[in-house]
Amino acid sequence: MRKAPTILHLDMDAFYASAEQASKPSLRGKAVVVGGLGPRGVVATASYEARVFGVHSAMPMAQARRLAPNAAYLVPRFGLYKAISEQVMGLLRELSPLVEPLSLDEAFVDLEAGSAAWDEASARLVGAKLRADIRAFTGLTGSVGLAASKMLAKIASEQAKPDGLVVIEPGTERALLGPMSVRTLPGVGPATGDHLRRAGIHTVDDIVEAGEDELVRLLGKAHGHGLYGMALARDERAVVAERETKSVSVEDTYDVDIHDRVRVGLEVQRLADRCVRRLREAGLSGRTIVLKVRRYDFSTLTRSETLRGPTDDPAVVREAALRLLEGVDSTGGVRLLGVGVSGLADFTQEDLFAQAAGEGVDHAVEEVADDVPAEERDVVVERRWVAGHDVRHAEYGHGWVQGSGLGRVTVRFETPDSEPGRVRTFLVDDPRLESAEPLPLVEVSGCHPHHP
């Protein structure tokens, strides 16, 4: 008997950017890019309007600005995103006790475990209702995929984007997967993908045609066996209810040992930035920075440094990782590098400017011109008028920062349920202007039965 499509994968559409558009009426239908605005910042999320210009997540912010110079560039508001995520995860937990969040905007749900669905028709109804509830309670849209396994449910939600619902019917899986790129399968990253491509394996059908023995020869027993099974649409991975994350880390293994000390340092910085992106996606910050180095002789060294408080600032993590690298002898070559953060806490607003060695301003406020007098720069840093963040003015009410510099801050005054608002400019030390908490995107009358 074929398994019913009762594994659900939810992926919120362009989550950070969509939340900003819902919050700011003047940005609806416009290109919006959310991420670090400093010289080494990267894109966290781009709205669909920005993606038309080729902007995508993980792209250097400088490149995004060249591609879409007229887009709105905003610093993330993780407190808001985390609050919305908690609403969405609450809706998912009403469907089943087995909810596996992957990040703030993505999760798997086992509908059968919650007796929410048992066949294709009931699963489709649950998916449609979930999308409607998410829109009603958050004002945002999510794409839903339904299938008999986690792998296929995720593929279905990708096909459903944006704002759609796709069900992969039992019996159609092999035909659907066949022409897809090998990169579609879980566990096939850039390195494995290139390895398969060099062997003439480009599609899932190519994997099946090559056979399991060839996959094992190319990738090793565990990876080759698992990948061949997934190419045949076999994925037995269960949905696992969330466990507390103890650390977030990334690592790369290099085909050729790295001997150049400068390149080792650049790789460590790149890994630190990737690690911070994962940290932020999970709405977390951490106190302990960990560096992992596997040398040419397969000996593995681990070094760590504990900060005085939790951070998710990429400059802080980069510099700590580089300090740790100074104490590691990489003579002879490096096979693997990894950067991790442990001692995790919920996202903190503490920027640890002192530890950012002067980089904090770049990550917290819009760039300030070099010719601004030092006393004005101090005021800007102290007030932290961050692009996209919320403010309140004694006379004009709630608004958000469009930009700051040269001792001034520009604010657009509008709320989620207002018309696009007026723009006004103030001195950065205007006593009538203060930071504010984000407003809810949707004013829901009455309470949801499971949400006080």
Side-chain angles (χ1 to χ4, degrees):
M1 181 177 171
R2 291 195 179 107
K3 291 171 66 178
T6 55
I7 302 297
L8 181 149
H9 181 260
L10 169 71
D11 198 348
M12 299 294 288
D13 299 320
F15 182 45
Y16 299 170
S18 294
E20 297 299 344
Q21 289 175 317
S23 179
K24 302 171 170 66
S26 59
L27 298 184
R28 291 170 193 167
K30 306 277 182 65
V32 174
V33 181
V34 180
L37 302 190
R40 289 186 285 186
V42 296
V43 175
T45 309
S47 70
Y48 286 99
E49 296 86 354
R51 294 179 192 186
V52 171
F53 297 99
V55 180
H56 58 77
S57 60
M59 171 182 283
M61 191 61 79
Q63 184 181 354
R65 287 185 185 275
R66 287 194 295 272
L67 291 171
N70 297 319
Y73 288 87
L74 307 175
V75 174
R77 296 186 293 164
F78 288 105
L80 172 66
Y81 310 149
K82 189 157 186 275
I84 298 169
S85 176
E86 286 171 355
Q87 285 182 291
V88 172
M89 297 301 165
L91 291 170
L92 298 182
R93 290 188 188 96
E94 292 174 8
L95 300 176
S96 172
L98 289 184
V99 175
E100 183 179 342
L102 305 179
S103 62
L104 288 178
D105 59 343
E106 187 180 2
F108 287 110
V109 185
D110 186 332
L111 298 178
E112 194 172 15
S115 300
W118 48 91
D119 59 12
E120 183 189 337
S122 57
R124 193 181 289 273
L125 285 172
V126 168
K129 183 176 185 304
L130 173 64
R131 291 179 56 238
D133 284 347
I134 288 172
R135 185 185 287 275
F137 285 94
T138 71
L140 303 180
T141 62
S143 294
V144 170
L146 288 152
S149 69
K150 290 169 75 170
M151 175 184 74
L152 292 165
K154 185 170 175 61
I155 290 170
S157 71
E158 284 296 318
Q159 293 185 326
K161 283 187 164 294
D163 190 20
L165 169 68
V166 167
V167 179
I168 296 180
E169 299 175 16
T172 66
E173 298 94 344
R174 287 282 302 279
L176 176 78
L177 280 177
M180 291 184 172
S181 163
V182 294
R183 290 290 303 276
T184 304
L185 301 179
V188 181
T192 302
D194 286 344
H195 197 47
L196 292 171
R197 180 178 52 78
R198 287 194 294 270
I201 298 172
H202 303 273
T203 67
V204 176
D205 269 343
D206 290 341
I207 291 177
V208 176
E209 189 175 331
E212 187 170 7
D213 290 345
E214 177 66 4
L215 264 289
V216 168
R217 187 186 71 78
L218 287 169
L219 304 175
K221 187 172 182 181
H223 198 183
H225 177 74
L227 198 58
Y228 183 73
M230 286 186 174
L232 295 175
R234 298 177 193 147
D235 178 16
E236 300 302 323
R237 295 175 301 159
V239 175
V240 181
E242 69 177 311
R243 295 182 294 265
E244 185 179 359
T245 305
K246 294 189 175 3
S247 65
V248 172
S249 62
V250 297
E251 60 182 45
D252 275 346
T253 302
Y254 304 98
D255 293 335
V256 178
D257 292 355
I258 303 176
H259 292 83
D260 181 7
R261 184 77 176 182
V262 173
R263 189 185 161 202
V264 172
L266 291 172
E267 289 292 310
V268 165
Q269 293 183 71
R270 185 178 61 81
L271 289 164
D273 287 344
R274 271 175 54 198
C275 183
V276 167
R277 284 201 294 276
R278 287 195 181 180
L279 200 67
R280 288 182 165 187
E281 285 172 2
L284 297 168
S285 58
R287 295 186 60 185
T288 301
I289 314 303
V290 181
L291 175 71
K292 178 180 177 182
V293 181
R294 181 168 297 150
R295 298 189 291 191
Y296 69 98
D297 59 358
F298 286 88
S299 61
T300 303
L301 303 175
T302 304
R303 300 285 185 268
S304 65
E305 174 183 319
T306 299
L307 308 174
R308 68 170 182 267
T311 186
D312 74 340
D313 187 321
V316 174
V317 177
R318 275 197 302 266
E319 289 169 9
L322 288 173
R323 283 195 297 274
L324 294 168
L325 180 63
E326 289 173 5
V328 174
D329 179 11
S330 61
T331 308
V334 170
R335 296 181 59 86
L336 174 147
L337 289 168
V339 174
V341 178
S342 60
L344 301 181
D346 285 345
F347 174 74
T348 175
Q349 294 289 343
E350 183 180 2
D351 290 303
L352 298 180
F353 278 92
Q355 295 195 40
E359 293 257 348
V361 176
D362 284 329
H363 292 276
V365 299
E366 292 232 310
E367 291 81 1
V368 181
D370 290 336
D371 58 352
V372 178
E375 61 271 16
E376 280 197 4
R377 289 191 215 174
D378 291 342
V379 171
V380 173
V381 174
E382 183 182 342
R383 296 299 298 272
R384 295 188 196 174
W385 298 125
V386 184
H389 284 218
D390 299 83
V391 294
R392 177 167 293 281
H393 189 275
E395 181 179 352
Y396 301 111
H398 192 93
W400 57 278
V401 176
Q402 283 201 324
S404 64
L406 299 173
R408 288 173 173 77
V409 55
T410 301
V411 177
R412 185 181 288 274
F413 291 97
E414 59 187 2
T415 62
D417 58 354
S418 75
E419 295 295 316
R422 296 280 301 276
V423 174
R424 297 184 183 275
T425 299
F426 308 92
L427 294 174
V428 293
D429 57 356
D430 190 321
R432 298 171 298 170
L433 191 67
E434 61 183 8
S435 297
E437 291 297 314
L439 297 176
L441 301 186
V442 175
E443 292 290 348
V444 181
S445 58
C447 286
H448 191 281
H450 297 281
H451 295 279

